[in-house]
PDB file of all heavy atoms in Angstrom:
ATOM      1  N   GLN A 145      -1.313 -10.916  19.157  1.00 65.00           N
ATOM      2  CA  GLN A 145      -0.877 -11.798  20.228  1.00 65.00           C
ATOM      3  C   GLN A 145       0.632 -11.933  20.126  1.00 65.00           C
ATOM      4  O   GLN A 145       1.160 -12.139  19.050  1.00 65.00           O
ATOM      5  CB  GLN A 145      -1.545 -13.156  20.056  1.00 65.00           C
ATOM      6  CG  GLN A 145      -1.196 -14.154  21.127  1.00 65.00           C
ATOM      7  CD  GLN A 145      -2.016 -15.418  20.956  1.00 65.00           C
ATOM      8  OE1 GLN A 145      -3.076 -15.411  20.371  1.00 65.00           O
ATOM      9  NE2 GLN A 145      -1.502 -16.507  21.462  1.00 65.00           N
ATOM     10  N   GLY A 146       1.308 -11.801  21.236  1.00 60.00           N
ATOM     11  CA  GLY A 146       2.767 -11.938  21.246  1.00 60.00           C
ATOM     12  C   GLY A 146       3.198 -13.364  20.985  1.00 60.00           C
ATOM     13  O   GLY A 146       2.387 -14.261  20.784  1.00 60.00           O
ATOM     14  N   ARG A 147       4.523 -13.566  20.991  1.00 54.00           N
ATOM     15  CA  ARG A 147       5.073 -14.888  20.732  1.00 54.00           C
ATOM     16  C   ARG A 147       5.052 -15.782  21.958  1.00 54.00           C
ATOM     17  O   ARG A 147       5.290 -16.959  21.885  1.00 54.00           O
ATOM     18  CB  ARG A 147       6.498 -14.752  20.226  1.00 54.00           C
ATOM     19  CG  ARG A 147       6.568 -14.087  18.895  1.00 54.00           C
ATOM     20  CD  ARG A 147       8.007 -14.014  18.433  1.00 54.00           C
ATOM     21  NE  ARG A 147       8.127 -13.014  17.405  1.00 54.00           N
ATOM     22  CZ  ARG A 147       8.620 -11.814  17.574  1.00 54.00           C
ATOM     23  NH1 ARG A 147       9.095 -11.458  18.740  1.00 54.00           N
ATOM     24  NH2 ARG A 147       8.668 -10.964  16.593  1.00 54.00           N
ATOM     25  N   GLY A 148       4.798 -15.189  23.130  1.00 53.00           N
ATOM     26  CA  GLY A 148       4.843 -15.963  24.368  1.00 53.00           C
ATOM     27  C   GLY A 148       3.592 -16.798  24.574  1.00 53.00           C
ATOM     28  O   GLY A 148       2.696 -16.851  23.736  1.00 53.00           O
ATOM     29  N   ARG A 149       3.527 -17.438  25.714  1.00 51.00           N
ATOM     30  CA  ARG A 149       2.368 -18.263  26.044  1.00 51.00           C
ATOM     31  C   ARG A 149       1.161 -17.371  26.346  1.00 51.00           C
ATOM     32  O   ARG A 149       1.291 -16.245  26.768  1.00 51.00           O
ATOM     33  CB  ARG A 149       2.669 -19.120  27.268  1.00 51.00           C
ATOM     34  CG  ARG A 149       3.725 -20.153  27.006  1.00 51.00           C
ATOM     35  CD  ARG A 149       3.809 -21.055  28.233  1.00 51.00           C
ATOM     36  NE  ARG A 149       4.281 -22.362  27.892  1.00 51.00           N
ATOM     37  CZ  ARG A 149       3.541 -23.347  27.416  1.00 51.00           C
ATOM     38  NH1 ARG A 149       2.280 -23.181  27.205  1.00 51.00           N
ATOM     39  NH2 ARG A 149       4.066 -24.516  27.151  1.00 51.00           N
ATOM     40  N   ARG A 150      -0.031 -17.942  26.144  1.00 47.00           N
ATOM     41  CA  ARG A 150      -1.251 -17.219  26.467  1.00 47.00           C
ATOM     42  C   ARG A 150      -1.321 -16.969  27.956  1.00 47.00           C
ATOM     43  O   ARG A 150      -1.065 -17.851  28.756  1.00 47.00           O
ATOM     44  CB  ARG A 150      -2.473 -18.036  26.073  1.00 47.00           C
ATOM     45  CG  ARG A 150      -2.750 -18.050  24.632  1.00 47.00           C
ATOM     46  CD  ARG A 150      -4.100 -18.660  24.379  1.00 47.00           C
ATOM     47  NE  ARG A 150      -4.361 -19.804  25.222  1.00 47.00           N
ATOM     48  CZ  ARG A 150      -4.901 -20.922  24.816  1.00 47.00           C
ATOM     49  NH1 ARG A 150      -5.240 -21.075  23.577  1.00 47.00           N
ATOM     50  NH2 ARG A 150      -5.126 -21.911  25.650  1.00 47.00           N
ATOM     51  N   THR A 151      -1.703 -15.773  28.330  1.00 51.00           N
ATOM     52  CA  THR A 151      -1.865 -15.471  29.746  1.00 51.00           C
ATOM     53  C   THR A 151      -3.302 -15.078  30.053  1.00 51.00           C
ATOM     54  O   THR A 151      -3.674 -15.001  31.203  1.00 51.00           O
ATOM     55  CB  THR A 151      -0.934 -14.321  30.173  1.00 51.00           C
ATOM     56  OG1 THR A 151      -1.198 -13.181  29.360  1.00 51.00           O
ATOM     57  CG2 THR A 151       0.522 -14.718  30.046  1.00 51.00           C
ATOM     58  N   VAL A 152      -4.099 -14.850  29.051  1.00 51.00           N
ATOM     59  CA  VAL A 152      -5.485 -14.455  29.237  1.00 51.00           C
ATOM     60  C   VAL A 152      -6.374 -15.612  28.829  1.00 51.00           C
ATOM     61  O   VAL A 152      -6.118 -16.297  27.844  1.00 51.00           O
ATOM     62  CB  VAL A 152      -5.806 -13.216  28.359  1.00 51.00           C
ATOM     63  CG1 VAL A 152      -7.260 -12.828  28.498  1.00 51.00           C
ATOM     64  CG2 VAL A 152      -4.899 -12.065  28.717  1.00 51.00           C
ATOM     65  N   ASP A 153      -7.430 -15.852  29.596  1.00 50.00           N
ATOM     66  CA  ASP A 153      -8.358 -16.922  29.255  1.00 50.00           C
ATOM     67  C   ASP A 153      -9.127 -16.507  28.009  1.00 50.00           C
ATOM     68  O   ASP A 153      -9.843 -15.518  28.001  1.00 50.00           O
ATOM     69  CB  ASP A 153      -9.311 -17.163  30.425  1.00 50.00           C
ATOM     70  CG  ASP A 153     -10.275 -18.305  30.145  1.00 50.00           C
ATOM     71  OD1 ASP A 153     -10.087 -19.030  29.148  1.00 50.00           O
ATOM     72  OD2 ASP A 153     -11.229 -18.468  30.935  1.00 50.00           O
ATOM     73  N   ASP A 154      -8.961 -17.286  26.944  1.00 49.00           N
ATOM     74  CA  ASP A 154      -9.629 -16.949  25.688  1.00 49.00           C
ATOM     75  C   ASP A 154     -10.937 -17.698  25.510  1.00 49.00           C
ATOM     76  O   ASP A 154     -11.551 -17.647  24.453  1.00 49.00           O
ATOM     77  CB  ASP A 154      -8.704 -17.220  24.498  1.00 49.00           C
ATOM     78  CG  ASP A 154      -8.239 -18.664  24.430  1.00 49.00           C
ATOM     79  OD1 ASP A 154      -8.730 -19.490  25.235  1.00 49.00           O
ATOM     80  OD2 ASP A 154      -7.389 -18.970  23.587  1.00 49.00           O
ATOM     81  N   GLY A 155     -11.396 -18.436  26.545  1.00 51.00           N
ATOM     82  CA  GLY A 155     -12.661 -19.135  26.479  1.00 51.00           C
ATOM     83  C   GLY A 155     -12.562 -20.526  25.874  1.00 51.00           C
ATOM     84  O   GLY A 155     -13.551 -21.240  25.797  1.00 51.00           O
ATOM     85  N   PHE A 156     -11.378 -20.945  25.451  1.00 49.00           N
ATOM     86  CA  PHE A 156     -11.232 -22.264  24.850  1.00 49.00           C
ATOM     87  C   PHE A 156     -10.788 -23.315  25.859  1.00 49.00           C
ATOM     88  O   PHE A 156     -10.588 -24.460  25.516  1.00 49.00           O
ATOM     89  CB  PHE A 156     -10.225 -22.228  23.689  1.00 49.00           C
ATOM     90  CG  PHE A 156     -10.766 -21.529  22.481  1.00 49.00           C
ATOM     91  CD1 PHE A 156     -10.301 -20.275  22.137  1.00 49.00           C
ATOM     92  CD2 PHE A 156     -11.749 -22.098  21.703  1.00 49.00           C
ATOM     93  CE1 PHE A 156     -10.797 -19.615  21.037  1.00 49.00           C
ATOM     94  CE2 PHE A 156     -12.248 -21.445  20.600  1.00 49.00           C
ATOM     95  CZ  PHE A 156     -11.776 -20.201  20.268  1.00 49.00           C
ATOM     96  N   GLY A 157     -10.575 -22.935  27.111  1.00 52.00           N
ATOM     97  CA  GLY A 157     -10.173 -23.893  28.131  1.00 52.00           C
ATOM     98  C   GLY A 157      -8.679 -24.151  28.110  1.00 52.00           C
ATOM     99  O   GLY A 157      -7.921 -23.513  27.382  1.00 52.00           O
ATOM    100  N   THR A 158      -8.253 -25.127  28.906  1.00 56.00           N
ATOM    101  CA  THR A 158      -6.831 -25.398  29.046  1.00 56.00           C
ATOM    102  C   THR A 158      -6.351 -26.549  28.195  1.00 56.00           C
ATOM    103  O   THR A 158      -5.164 -26.782  28.094  1.00 56.00           O
ATOM    104  CB  THR A 158      -6.495 -25.705  30.519  1.00 56.00           C
ATOM    105  OG1 THR A 158      -7.273 -26.836  30.931  1.00 56.00           O
ATOM    106  CG2 THR A 158      -6.769 -24.513  31.401  1.00 56.00           C
ATOM    107  N   GLY A 159      -7.222 -27.317  27.590  1.00 55.00           N
ATOM    108  CA  GLY A 159      -6.805 -28.448  26.767  1.00 55.00           C
ATOM    109  C   GLY A 159      -6.623 -29.697  27.601  1.00 55.00           C
ATOM    110  O   GLY A 159      -6.786 -29.706  28.822  1.00 55.00           O
ATOM    111  N   ASN A 160      -6.264 -30.799  26.932  1.00 53.00           N
ATOM    112  CA  ASN A 160      -6.125 -32.062  27.641  1.00 53.00           C
ATOM    113  C   ASN A 160      -4.765 -32.703  27.393  1.00 53.00           C
ATOM    114  O   ASN A 160      -4.615 -33.911  27.474  1.00 53.00           O
ATOM    115  CB  ASN A 160      -7.249 -33.013  27.243  1.00 53.00           C
ATOM    116  CG  ASN A 160      -7.264 -33.293  25.761  1.00 53.00           C
ATOM    117  OD1 ASN A 160      -6.519 -32.691  25.010  1.00 53.00           O
ATOM    118  ND2 ASN A 160      -8.121 -34.203  25.335  1.00 53.00           N
ATOM    119  N   ALA A 161      -3.763 -31.884  27.085  1.00 54.00           N
ATOM    120  CA  ALA A 161      -2.407 -32.386  26.883  1.00 54.00           C
ATOM    121  C   ALA A 161      -1.439 -31.532  27.693  1.00 54.00           C
ATOM    122  O   ALA A 161      -1.648 -30.343  27.884  1.00 54.00           O
ATOM    123  CB  ALA A 161      -2.042 -32.347  25.409  1.00 54.00           C
ATOM    124  N   ASP A 162      -0.367 -32.193  28.149  1.00 58.00           N
ATOM    125  CA  ASP A 162       0.651 -31.436  28.872  1.00 58.00           C
ATOM    126  C   ASP A 162       1.613 -30.798  27.878  1.00 58.00           C
ATOM    127  O   ASP A 162       1.405 -30.869  26.663  1.00 58.00           O
ATOM    128  CB  ASP A 162       1.375 -32.320  29.889  1.00 58.00           C
ATOM    129  CG  ASP A 162       2.156 -33.460  29.254  1.00 58.00           C
ATOM    130  OD1 ASP A 162       2.408 -33.424  28.032  1.00 58.00           O
ATOM    131  OD2 ASP A 162       2.530 -34.393  29.990  1.00 58.00           O
ATOM    132  N   ALA A 163       2.693 -30.173  28.377  1.00 58.00           N
ATOM    133  CA  ALA A 163       3.639 -29.480  27.505  1.00 58.00           C
ATOM    134  C   ALA A 163       4.325 -30.422  26.520  1.00 58.00           C
ATOM    135  O   ALA A 163       4.781 -30.003  25.466  1.00 58.00           O
ATOM    136  CB  ALA A 163       4.687 -28.763  28.350  1.00 58.00           C
ATOM    137  N   ASN A 164       4.389 -31.722  26.837  1.00 55.00           N
ATOM    138  CA  ASN A 164       5.012 -32.701  25.935  1.00 55.00           C
ATOM    139  C   ASN A 164       4.016 -33.349  24.985  1.00 55.00           C
ATOM    140  O   ASN A 164       4.354 -34.275  24.254  1.00 55.00           O
ATOM    141  CB  ASN A 164       5.720 -33.799  26.745  1.00 55.00           C
ATOM    142  CG  ASN A 164       6.858 -33.238  27.552  1.00 55.00           C
ATOM    143  OD1 ASN A 164       7.554 -32.339  27.091  1.00 55.00           O
ATOM    144  ND2 ASN A 164       7.042 -33.742  28.759  1.00 55.00           N
ATOM    145  N   GLY A 165       2.763 -32.922  25.024  1.00 56.00           N
ATOM    146  CA  GLY A 165       1.758 -33.465  24.125  1.00 56.00           C
ATOM    147  C   GLY A 165       1.117 -34.745  24.634  1.00 56.00           C
ATOM    148  O   GLY A 165       0.368 -35.394  23.916  1.00 56.00           O
ATOM    149  N   GLN A 166       1.372 -35.120  25.875  1.00 57.00           N
ATOM    150  CA  GLN A 166       0.796 -36.339  26.442  1.00 57.00           C
ATOM    151  C   GLN A 166      -0.590 -36.040  27.000  1.00 57.00           C
ATOM    152  O   GLN A 166      -0.815 -34.996  27.608  1.00 57.00           O
ATOM    153  CB  GLN A 166       1.698 -36.886  27.556  1.00 57.00           C
ATOM    154  CG  GLN A 166       3.105 -37.216  27.101  1.00 57.00           C
ATOM    155  CD  GLN A 166       3.113 -38.295  26.046  1.00 57.00           C
ATOM    156  OE1 GLN A 166       2.440 -39.304  26.186  1.00 57.00           O
ATOM    157  NE2 GLN A 166       3.836 -38.062  24.968  1.00 57.00           N
ATOM    158  N   MET A 167      -1.530 -36.974  26.804  1.00 54.00           N
ATOM    159  CA  MET A 167      -2.882 -36.800  27.304  1.00 54.00           C
ATOM    160  C   MET A 167      -2.880 -36.789  28.827  1.00 54.00           C
ATOM    161  O   MET A 167      -2.247 -37.627  29.453  1.00 54.00           O
ATOM    162  CB  MET A 167      -3.782 -37.938  26.807  1.00 54.00           C
ATOM    163  CG  MET A 167      -3.889 -38.022  25.285  1.00 54.00           C
ATOM    164  SD  MET A 167      -4.714 -36.619  24.566  1.00 54.00           S
ATOM    165  CE  MET A 167      -6.387 -36.993  24.936  1.00 54.00           C
ATOM    166  N   VAL A 168      -3.588 -35.853  29.428  1.00 53.00           N
ATOM    167  CA  VAL A 168      -3.658 -35.769  30.870  1.00 53.00           C
ATOM    168  C   VAL A 168      -5.083 -35.866  31.387  1.00 53.00           C
ATOM    169  O   VAL A 168      -5.302 -35.994  32.575  1.00 53.00           O
ATOM    170  CB  VAL A 168      -3.021 -34.459  31.399  1.00 53.00           C
ATOM    171  CG1 VAL A 168      -1.538 -34.446  31.152  1.00 53.00           C
ATOM    172  CG2 VAL A 168      -3.685 -33.242  30.809  1.00 53.00           C
ATOM    173  N   GLU A 169      -6.043 -35.846  30.507  1.00 52.00           N
ATOM    174  CA  GLU A 169      -7.446 -35.903  30.903  1.00 52.00           C
ATOM    175  C   GLU A 169      -7.792 -37.293  31.416  1.00 52.00           C
ATOM    176  O   GLU A 169      -7.337 -38.294  30.877  1.00 52.00           O
ATOM    177  CB  GLU A 169      -8.312 -35.564  29.689  1.00 52.00           C
ATOM    178  CG  GLU A 169      -9.781 -35.453  29.991  1.00 52.00           C
ATOM    179  CD  GLU A 169     -10.538 -35.043  28.748  1.00 52.00           C
ATOM    180  OE1 GLU A 169     -10.272 -33.955  28.239  1.00 52.00           O
ATOM    181  OE2 GLU A 169     -11.365 -35.844  28.292  1.00 52.00           O
ATOM    182  N   GLU A 170      -8.612 -37.362  32.461  1.00 48.00           N
ATOM    183  CA  GLU A 170      -9.038 -38.659  32.976  1.00 48.00           C
ATOM    184  C   GLU A 170      -9.814 -39.403  31.905  1.00 48.00           C
ATOM    185  O   GLU A 170     -10.601 -38.821  31.160  1.00 48.00           O
ATOM    186  CB  GLU A 170      -9.931 -38.477  34.196  1.00 48.00           C
ATOM    187  CG  GLU A 170      -9.164 -38.247  35.460  1.00 48.00           C
ATOM    188  CD  GLU A 170     -10.094 -38.284  36.662  1.00 48.00           C
ATOM    189  OE1 GLU A 170     -11.142 -38.962  36.600  1.00 48.00           O
ATOM    190  OE2 GLU A 170      -9.763 -37.630  37.630  1.00 48.00           O
ATOM    191  N   GLY A 171      -9.569 -40.698  31.787  1.00 47.00           N
ATOM    192  CA  GLY A 171     -10.284 -41.523  30.826  1.00 47.00           C
ATOM    193  C   GLY A 171      -9.678 -41.493  29.445  1.00 47.00           C
ATOM    194  O   GLY A 171     -10.184 -42.123  28.533  1.00 47.00           O
ATOM    195  N   ALA A 172      -8.587 -40.759  29.236  1.00 44.00           N
ATOM    196  CA  ALA A 172      -7.943 -40.728  27.932  1.00 44.00           C
ATOM    197  C   ALA A 172      -7.075 -41.971  27.784  1.00 44.00           C
ATOM    198  O   ALA A 172      -6.246 -42.264  28.634  1.00 44.00           O
ATOM    199  CB  ALA A 172      -7.098 -39.478  27.791  1.00 44.00           C
ATOM    200  N   HIS A 173      -7.279 -42.729  26.727  1.00 47.00           N
ATOM    201  CA  HIS A 173      -6.544 -43.970  26.491  1.00 47.00           C
ATOM    202  C   HIS A 173      -6.028 -43.992  25.065  1.00 47.00           C
ATOM    203  O   HIS A 173      -6.407 -43.164  24.236  1.00 47.00           O
ATOM    204  CB  HIS A 173      -7.453 -45.187  26.733  1.00 47.00           C
ATOM    205  CG  HIS A 173      -8.061 -45.191  28.091  1.00 47.00           C
ATOM    206  ND1 HIS A 173      -7.343 -45.448  29.234  1.00 47.00           N
ATOM    207  CD2 HIS A 173      -9.343 -44.954  28.499  1.00 47.00           C
ATOM    208  CE1 HIS A 173      -8.150 -45.388  30.284  1.00 47.00           C
ATOM    209  NE2 HIS A 173      -9.357 -45.075  29.862  1.00 47.00           N
TER     210      HIS A 173
END
Side-chain angles (χ1 to χ4, degrees):
Q145 181 174 336
R147 294 181 199 103
R149 293 187 153 277
R150 284 190 320 223
T151 57
V152 178
D153 182 10
D154 58 6
F156 288 107
T158 59
N160 59 353
D162 64 16
N164 296 323
Q166 301 298 314
M167 300 294 283
V168 293
E169 186 177 298
E170 278 189 27
H173 304 288

